[in-house]
Amino acid sequence: MCGIIGYIGQKNSTPFLIEGLKKLEYRGYDSAGLCVLKNKKLYTLKKKGKIAELEKDQRLKNISGLIGIAHTRWATHGEPNERNAHPHFDCHKNIAIAHNGIIENHTALKKILTKEGHRIISQTDSEIFAHLIEKFYQGNLEKAVSQTLKLVDGSYGLVVIHQQENKIIAARKGSPLIIGVGQNEMLVASDTAALLAHTKKVIYLDDEEMAIISKDKYSIKNLDGQRLNKQIEEIKWTVAQMEKKGFKHFMLKEIFEQPQSVTETIRGRIKNNKIKISIGFNLESIERIIITACGTSWHAALIGKYLLEQLAQIPTEVDYASEFRYRQPLIRKNNLMIAISQSGETADTLAALREAKKNQAKTLGIINVVGSTISREVDSGIYLYAGPEIGVASTKAFTSQVSALILLSLYLRQKQNLPLDKKILVDLKKIPEKIKEVLQVDRQIKKIAFAFKDARNFLYLGRGINFPVALEGALKLKEISYIHAEGYPAAEMKHGPIALIDSQMPVVFIAPKNALSSKIISNMQEVKARAGKIIAVTDYPDKEIKKVAEYIIKVPSINNYLSPIINSIPLQLLAYHIADLKNINVDKPRNLAKSVTVE
Ligand code: M6R
């Protein structure tokens, strides 16, 4: 989704802006632009398409200056083209703005501004900011921005420059902005990825806060101009973690990082056969859990429901965040809301969390990005420590989310003094080794991918705790290969999807050895009887499965509660290899954004 980078210092800002934009590329975008201030004049360049288009343009060489802002746009209001690309300007081109988020009352504001003579040239809601600031500007940019922000409904991560002022004004509401504190230079970005190469010292802006940034100082204020004391924090991620390290794609690297990322999630959290996680509030009174999330994180949440109900014995519901926030959910004081999000910035998840907080539920985050908005708004949290996930398709974050949910469920069980089979802890510690083992199926999966790369549809079927794994397998394939895929509980197939099965339909079964094994074999037979092509992911390739399956992907055996971690990995690889064989840009699939910060 849209990205912002700004620079103010003693060096030419253009290379910083271009490099920063490249670091934000993974978030997804369809146009890019920058604006640099030199000798009290603004110079700008905008392009539809990739950042490479900006770099190719000869005019970029003539753009230099010590202050600049830049933006990658993921179209919401108006198609991706140069006119709609940011930065946007006021009528006299004195002011340049870059904006992430959505101005909800932009139609009304546009009407007023147009009546007053402002010429709004783009189809975006964002351009309104430049004109409002122009309207209020009387020699003080900070004041004009704060007056503007008071009129705007909606969300913003906003950076503003004015040709008469050597400063950047940044402001945030519902869309992240982070100030990077350097040596005689300051940066501002919507994502720490764009700051890391220059500084690890950062200040996270909170909602309705403004930063007034010059090359060697900054102040943070609320919209009424009162100064706020904000702490400088340190980013723990390294630049090296953000590199591909010889892998063809970030996604593949992240799939292969899972032994390490899951190790980091469980590290230090199992001691002397006890789960040690610190939750900053009393869990004893919790009578009901609601998990909210989107996309892949929602699939982790569904697995969490099985874990929390079966291991912790606490009634648990799972809700799409986008549905939860508007359906007037019944939330009580003794309810715990768990918000799961890799990025910690997903707008719907954040809104659902706020809804729960409004109703006085306790809130807990399962988040990867340290310092992200959700991580700062929850009462307590479990960080994943999975490291940066750059590929748009979430992989290692998912297995870490499931690992964190296992830890939480066992912890809640322990808290209630319910008996615990220690074998699960033994298996949990073995998980990184088992992941290494399952990654060895990569070669075989490449062959399977070759056989099915031209399929038009796929079905993924699983049961029990592995039903959400089927959903996740289907989502991965859709996202990066553009092949239509559906996930279903295996038994549900005969209530409709069975009509789709013929010799052109590959059906992936997640079929671990457990109490439901014989039932899933019956489901396989139903598919075989209709000439469907079965790919079985299983830890017990017995003769019944061999009889019906075209391909068997053998995975290591593990405790059933942990099996979603192992079983999801071959599905990630299958999606990856099919997409790669189709020459799709796996890390940046069309229309998708890494972190969805608008509704
Ligand atoms: O950052 P989050 O975990 O909150 O993101 C939620 C979804 O947008 C995300 O999982 C999305 O579905 C991914 N593209 C899945 O691969």
Side-chain angles (χ1 to χ4, degrees):
M1 202 132 280
C2 306
I4 287 177
I5 173 81
Y7 173 89
I8 179 162
Q10 294 176 328
K11 298 179 193 143
N12 176 14
S13 61
T14 307
F16 284 87
L17 300 178
I18 294 289
E19 186 209 331
L21 288 182
K22 285 185 181 166
K23 293 282 187 289
L24 299 173
E25 273 195 301
Y26 80 99
R27 299 169 64 94
Y29 69 106
D30 34 44
S31 61
L34 56 80
C35 179
V36 167
L37 172 60
K38 187 179 183 181
N39 298 333
K40 300 194 182 300
K41 262 196 102 173
L42 297 176
Y43 296 85
T44 192
L45 190 60
K46 309 201 257 185
K47 285 280 175 189
K48 178 182 173 182
K50 297 294 167 199
I51 293 155
E53 300 301 320
L54 279 178
E55 288 183 290
K56 266 192 245 156
D57 194 310
Q58 292 304 314
R59 289 173 294 175
L60 187 68
K61 291 202 183 87
N62 303 323
I63 297 183
S64 70
L66 308 182
I67 303 173
I69 57 173
H71 189 263
T72 45
R73 173 173 186 258
W74 189 83
T76 54
H77 294 70
E79 60 179 279
N81 60 26
E82 269 180 42
R83 186 167 277 197
N84 289 334
H86 300 219
H88 289 289
F89 300 90
D90 63 309
C91 296
H92 298 94
K93 294 226 156 48
N94 292 331
I95 298 161
I97 69 103
H99 166 230
N100 289 352
I102 288 179
I103 309 179
E104 279 156 17
N105 57 342
H106 78 276
T107 315
L109 292 171
K110 190 173 175 178
K111 249 191 205 157
I112 299 170
L113 286 164
T114 314
K115 256 195 194 156
E116 290 175 358
H118 290 261
R119 220 180 126 242
I120 293 158
I121 58 167
S122 74
Q123 297 162 295
T124 67
D125 53 337
S126 305
E127 191 187 340
I128 302 292
F129 271 118
H131 293 274
L132 283 172
I133 296 166
E134 176 181 37
K135 171 181 158 95
F136 293 121
Y137 187 76
Q138 287 182 338
N140 185 331
L141 185 60
E142 178 190 333
K143 241 184 172 173
V145 173
S146 77
Q147 278 174 280
T148 297
L149 296 179
K150 286 180 186 162
L151 286 183
V152 162
D153 287 339
S155 58
Y156 52 79
L158 177 73
V159 288
V160 189
I161 53 177
H162 189 294
Q163 58 180 10
Q164 295 298 328
E165 303 203 17
N166 286 331
K167 59 178 69 143
I168 298 177
I169 308 285
R172 156 194 172 135
K173 186 179 170 196
S175 187
L177 265 193
I178 304 139
I179 314 297
V181 183
Q183 291 274 343
N184 293 321
E185 63 188 13
M186 303 279 293
L187 293 108
V188 54
S190 53
D191 185 324
T192 49
L195 302 174
L196 256 185
H198 307 291
T199 181
K200 289 196 159 193
K201 288 188 186 158
V202 294
I203 300 155
Y204 295 97
L205 283 189
D206 284 308
D207 277 357
E208 303 197 336
E209 288 181 358
M210 278 173 60
I212 300 96
I213 311 165
S214 47
K215 75 174 167 18
D216 42 18
K217 60 177 198 294
Y218 63 87
S219 59
I220 317 282
K221 297 184 179 175
N222 63 19
L223 298 190
D224 294 323
Q226 284 161 329
R227 260 175 203 270
L228 304 168
N229 234 335
K230 300 276 292 191
Q231 246 190 329
I232 295 187
E233 299 181 43
E234 196 162 322
I235 314 174
K236 293 279 185 284
W237 288 352
T238 64
V239 176
Q241 282 178 303
M242 302 272 192
E243 282 158 7
K244 277 195 208 142
K245 296 190 184 143
F247 283 92
K248 187 169 177 191
H249 293 102
F250 279 109
M251 181 180 175
L252 190 61
K253 175 192 156 221
E254 286 154 9
I255 292 173
F256 274 86
E257 270 175 356
Q258 290 176 103
Q260 191 57 31
S261 49
V262 167
T263 302
E264 293 306 323
T265 305
I266 58 180
R267 187 189 294 287
R269 286 170 167 162
I270 312 171
K271 276 186 199 148
N272 306 326
N273 285 330
K274 288 254 171 282
I275 305 294
K276 303 260 181 223
I277 47 178
S278 50
I279 307 289
F281 50 80
N282 188 354
L283 285 162
E284 258 119 62
S285 58
I286 300 301
E287 285 178 3
R288 167 181 174 241
I289 296 175
I290 307 154
I291 319 183
T292 194
C294 306
T296 287
S297 300
W298 184 76
H299 297 151
L302 291 177
I303 295 170
K305 174 179 165 72
Y306 282 85
L307 295 165
L308 287 160
E309 292 201 331
Q310 292 182 20
L311 291 172
Q313 304 273 300
I314 302 177
T316 302
E317 291 161 30
V318 177
D319 240 316
Y320 278 120
S322 54
E323 289 296 314
F324 181 84
R325 62 185 292 192
Y326 291 118
R327 72 166 171 80
Q328 295 166 322
L330 295 175
I331 311 164
R332 305 275 182 257
K333 264 190 189 160
N334 56 9
N335 291 171
L336 169 68
M337 148 135 331
I338 303 177
I340 306 181
S341 173
Q342 186 286 131
S343 61
E345 300 294 352
T346 301
D348 287 323
T349 311
L350 181 59
L353 169 76
R354 287 179 177 161
E355 184 65 30
K357 283 185 86 160
K358 218 167 59 194
N359 288 283
Q360 298 179 341
K362 292 266 184 294
T363 58
L364 182 90
I366 295 185
I367 310 290
N368 193 34
V369 179
V370 175
S372 56
T373 309
I374 297 178
S375 76
R376 284 178 297 124
E377 292 203 10
V378 284
D379 297 321
S380 190
I382 303 175
Y383 276 126
L384 302 179
Y385 301 123
E389 190 179 67
I390 307 293
V392 161
S394 188
T395 52
K396 64 175 182 173
F398 174 74
T399 46
S400 281
Q401 286 166 345
V402 176
S403 306
L405 285 160
I406 294 167
L407 289 170
L408 177 66
S409 308
L410 291 172
Y411 177 74
L412 290 172
R413 185 177 179 94
Q414 187 178 289
K415 278 246 152 216
Q416 297 168 83
N417 293 320
L418 295 168
L420 179 68
D421 178 359
K422 298 280 181 306
K423 275 200 249 156
I424 188 169
L425 294 180
V426 175
D427 269 15
L428 191 51
K429 286 191 212 151
K430 280 192 204 151
I431 268 272
E433 284 312 307
K434 301 271 182 182
I435 298 176
K436 279 187 194 157
E437 214 179 310
V438 73
L439 284 168
Q440 287 169 17
V441 298
D442 186 43
R443 260 218 192 140
Q444 182 203 2
I445 289 182
K446 243 187 225 170
K447 288 188 193 147
I448 302 176
F450 190 80
F452 291 105
K453 68 178 186 346
D454 297 319
R456 305 282 304 274
N457 300 287
F458 258 83
L459 263 186
Y460 286 74
L461 303 176
R463 298 189 76 127
I465 200 167
N466 280 291
F467 153 54
V469 174
L471 294 179
E472 176 57 9
L475 178 67
K476 284 287 88 80
L477 188 73
K478 280 189 267 225
E479 283 189 297
I480 58 169
S481 76
Y482 315 147
I483 295 175
H484 171 243
E486 299 285 342
Y488 271 97
E492 191 61 24
M493 180 186 60
K494 56 185 169 300
H495 299 288
I498 198 163
L500 298 170
I501 293 171
D502 61 14
S503 62
Q504 302 304 305
M505 178 65 93
V507 185
V508 180
F509 275 92
I510 299 102
K513 176 109 194 101
N514 60 25
L516 297 173
S517 302
S518 61
K519 304 217 178 276
I520 219 156
I521 290 178
S522 305
N523 299 139
M524 285 185 191
Q525 282 155 350
E526 286 157 8
V527 169
K528 180 74 179 172
R530 286 156 185 87
K533 301 279 177 291
I534 295 174
I535 303 164
V537 176
T538 182
D539 59 336
Y540 77 116
D542 71 357
K543 61 175 189 310
E544 289 305 316
I545 297 185
K546 282 183 182 150
K547 252 194 252 167
V548 289
E550 208 92 4
Y551 294 93
I552 294 178
I553 301 170
K554 164 88 173 68
V555 297
S557 295
I558 191 104
N559 180 294
N560 193 48
Y561 291 118
L562 315 185
S563 64
I565 299 179
I566 299 300
N567 292 333
S568 58
I569 291 171
L571 308 189
Q572 297 170 348
L573 286 167
L574 183 63
Y576 171 80
H577 287 300
I578 291 180
D580 189 35
L581 284 168
K582 290 167 91 79
N583 279 323
I584 288 171
N585 186 349
V586 175
D587 285 333
K588 293 172 213 145
R590 69 181 180 206
N591 305 337
L592 293 181
K594 182 64 187 163
S595 110
V596 184
T597 50
V598 293
E599 259 195 88

